[in-house]
């Protein structure tokens, strides 16, 4: 298939942008890229898809998302993290059935694909949700997924016994770590290599030192990557201090740091933490909407990047973002650091698009196959429609994508060479069925959790 007459933002090593560009796909790979006239003359017999009025970008890569949480979108607004977790999110998720989780996963994946995300890192999938169903949804939908299964053996947050998990979410070493190994053996590299299985340990305080060390050893032996929430709120920093550490000195001691690790949020860091991240080539997932909405703070992205730390972008979960749209996340990531630094040049649009594409690919260990549009890489790309009142006029294609577009402007999505979204419509899954199932099951979960009144908000609903 030859995709023609588009503006192509390649994110290749020289960051080339091609006007009236064309992209040739053979199988699941990019076979050629260049000017439309040139490629049409070189490949005159190729079937053609005209993308006039669209900007093609590499498929977006979210380095932090909770696919099971979309079922409780909007059910935990205007709460700080610990109350958000202990009083709402854990209670709701602890009342999930396997079928609830399946509905949530399919809703999350449908939303991600329709808004331009072609690859995601699931960051903490619980045993009760049924990991097989997550993998089957990835297989069905055509998306690319790095799937983290939870690892834990302590059922509280940080060092406070009052901050306890809901009983329905508690797991043992055998359920979590050994279960993750079982799923890795079953699913890693499945679905034409679109599935990778990761370890997803709970935040420090929720995992014993011994279990961290055992998991880290397995990670090194089998090359299983690790993702973990870390230093998200002030309570995390207090926990690290209580055991005589900074966040990164603790993570280093239990074997968590290195190029196969993505640490999430990373708001409460000091200069020594940043230096250690750079030294160990550990990656960061920046989640500005979640951090702002939960009043957790703001990650020191500029300092991390100046130190040479690779920073990707994530949406986090629907209850703390209310969206799985990485297009919207790009805009906030580009704006929020300007506000707090009083520097309009901080974290420019080009930097943010890198975070959502090639930086994300690097964090997931996939930079040689996705994250930019280059010959020989996987054909994962998104066409953003700029033929609307909200997208006109534009002068810089990157500015148009980062500052003007949202996921609703996504016209076409291709993953692994296959069109999965065309004309804004999802082709691989039944949207109407997904929405109906999610609406039904979300109400049932809230009833079982006993939170029907709590989730309504403060204004009366007649």
């Amino acid at each position: 298939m030859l995709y023609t007459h588009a503006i192509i933002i390649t994110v290749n090593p020289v960051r080339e942008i091609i006007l009236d560009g064309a992209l040739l796909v053979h199988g699941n790979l990019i076979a050629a890229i260049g000017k439309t006239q040139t490629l049409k003359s070189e490949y005159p017999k190729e079937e053609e898809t005209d993308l006039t009025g669209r900007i093609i970008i590499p498929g977006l890569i979210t380095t932090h998302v909770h696919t099971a949480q979309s079922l409780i979108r909007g059910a935990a607004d205007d709460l700080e993290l610990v109350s958000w977790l202990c009083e709402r999110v854990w209670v709701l998720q602890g009342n999930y059935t396997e079928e609830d989780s399946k509905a949530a996963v399919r809703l999350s994946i449908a939303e991600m694909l329709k808004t331009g995300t072609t690859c995601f890192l699931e960051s903490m999938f619980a045993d009760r949700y049924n990991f097989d169903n997550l993998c089957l949804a990835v297989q069905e939908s055509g998306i690319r997924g790095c799937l983290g299964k939870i690892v834990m053996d302590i059922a509280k947050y940080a060092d406070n016994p009052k901050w306890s998990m809901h009983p329905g979410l508690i797991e043992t070493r055998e359920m979590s770590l050994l279960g993750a190994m079982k799923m890795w053996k079953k699913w890693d590299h499945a679905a034409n290599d679109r599935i990778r299985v990761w370890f997803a340990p709970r935040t420090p305080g929720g995992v014993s030192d011994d279990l961290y060390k055992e998991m880290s050893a397995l990670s090194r032996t089998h090359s299983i990557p690790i993702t973990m929430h870390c230093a998200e709120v002030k309570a995390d920093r207090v926990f690290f201090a209580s055991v005589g550490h900074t966040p990164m000195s603790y993570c280093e001691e239990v074997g968590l740091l290195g190029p196969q690790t993505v640490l999430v949020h990373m708001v409460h860091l000091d200069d020594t933490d940043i230096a250690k991240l750079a030294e160990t080539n550990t990656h960061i997932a920046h989640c500005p909407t979640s951090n702002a909405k939960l009043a957790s703070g703001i990650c020191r992205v500029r300092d991390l990047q100046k130190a040479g730390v690779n920073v990707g972008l994530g949406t986090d979960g629907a209850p703390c973002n209310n969206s799985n749209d990485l297009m919207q996340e790009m805009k906030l990531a580009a704006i929020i650091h300007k506000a707090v630094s009083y520097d309009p040049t901080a974290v420019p649009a080009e930097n943010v698009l890198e975070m959502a594409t090639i930086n994300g690919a690097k964090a997931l260990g996939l930079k040689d196959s996705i994250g930019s549009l280059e010959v020989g890489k996987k054909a994962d790309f998104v066409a953003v429609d700029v033929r609307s009142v909200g997208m006109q006029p534009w002068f810089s294609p990157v500015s148009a994508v980062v500052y003007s577009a949202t996921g609703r402007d996504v016209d076409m999505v291709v993953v692994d060479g296959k069109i999965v979204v065309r004309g804004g419509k999802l082709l691989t899954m039944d949207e109407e069925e997904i929405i109906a199932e999610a609406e039904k099951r979300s109400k049932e979960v809230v009833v079982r959790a006993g939170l029907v009144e709590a989730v309504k908000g403060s204004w009366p609903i007649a």
Side-chain angles (χ1 to χ4, degrees), residues 31-309:
I33 187 167
K35 290 287 190 179
T36 293
Q37 184 176 355
T38 302
L39 265 63
K40 286 185 72 171
S41 64
E42 291 179 357
Y43 303 96
K45 296 182 179 180
E46 284 288 341
E47 182 181 356
E48 182 180 341
T49 296
D50 188 331
L51 292 179
T52 298
R54 282 80 147 192
I55 298 173
I56 291 179
I57 60 173
L60 299 178
I61 300 166
T62 182
T63 52
H64 185 64
V65 66
H66 295 271
T67 54
Q69 288 185 353
S70 62
L71 211 61
I72 51 175
R73 188 196 317 267
D77 291 338
D78 306 325
L79 298 169
E80 51 76 37
L81 178 67
V82 175
S83 299
W84 178 88
L85 271 176
C86 299
E87 297 171 15
R88 294 284 180 88
V89 171
W90 280 345
V91 178
L92 289 161
Q93 291 181 199
N95 278 281
Y96 273 28
T97 65
E98 284 188 13
E99 289 303 309
D100 296 332
S101 306
K102 180 180 178 180
V105 164
R106 298 182 79 235
L107 181 64
S108 293
I109 290 175
E111 183 186 1
M112 283 191 284
L113 283 173
K114 282 173 63 68
T115 56
T117 292
T118 58
C119 181
F120 70 95
L121 174 54
E122 159 60 52
S123 294
M124 198 181 284
F125 206 79
D127 193 77
R128 73 175 292 122
Y129 302 155
N130 189 336
F131 197 85
D132 286 330
N133 282 339
L134 172 61
C135 297
L136 289 169
V138 171
Q139 192 171 54
E140 170 198 12
S141 67
I143 203 168
R144 200 177 298 280
C146 297
L147 311 178
K149 189 179 183 306
I150 195 169
V151 175
M152 65 169 290
D153 60 354
I154 299 173
K156 61 183 178 63
Y157 190 92
D159 61 348
N160 194 329
K162 295 179 181 178
W163 298 341
S164 297
M165 295 186 78
H166 187 276
L169 293 174
I170 295 172
E171 298 187 27
T172 62
R173 167 188 174 274
E174 287 70 27
M175 289 173 66
S176 62
L177 179 63
L178 301 189
M181 288 300 301
K182 180 180 178 182
M183 291 298 99
W184 174 75
K185 292 174 182 176
K186 180 176 182 179
W187 286 105
D188 196 52
H189 293 282
N192 199 32
D193 200 29
R194 287 187 289 107
I195 292 175
R196 302 291 177 92
V197 178
W198 287 46
F199 288 134
R202 285 196 61 224
T203 307
V207 181
S208 66
D209 290 4
D210 287 344
L211 187 56
Y212 273 136
K213 291 175 181 177
E214 182 181 6
M215 179 199 69
S216 297
L218 288 169
S219 169
R220 290 189 294 272
T221 299
H222 300 288
S223 295
I224 304 174
I226 297 168
T227 186
M228 183 184 77
H229 300 66
C230 189
E232 182 176 1
V233 293
K234 290 179 181 178
D236 294 320
R237 188 93 201 181
V238 171
F239 168 77
F240 289 119
S242 74
V243 293
H245 282 286
T246 70
M248 292 307 96
S249 69
Y250 177 85
C251 288
E252 183 176 43
E253 182 169 282
V254 296
L256 291 169
L257 301 184
Q260 287 196 122
T261 294
V262 176
L263 297 178
V264 184
H265 300 302
M266 300 294 276
V267 172
H268 297 278
L269 304 178
D270 62 26
D271 290 347
T272 66
D273 292 320
I274 291 174
K276 184 58 67 175
L277 289 163
E279 176 189 327
T280 56
N281 295 313
T282 303
H283 310 278
I284 304 301
H286 177 37
C287 305
T289 300
S290 172
N291 297 154
K293 187 175 185 228
L294 295 173
S296 302
I298 297 174
C299 178
R300 295 172 60 185
V301 167
R302 288 210 302 171
D303 293 334
L304 286 160
Q305 291 180 332
K306 286 177 182 177
V309 178

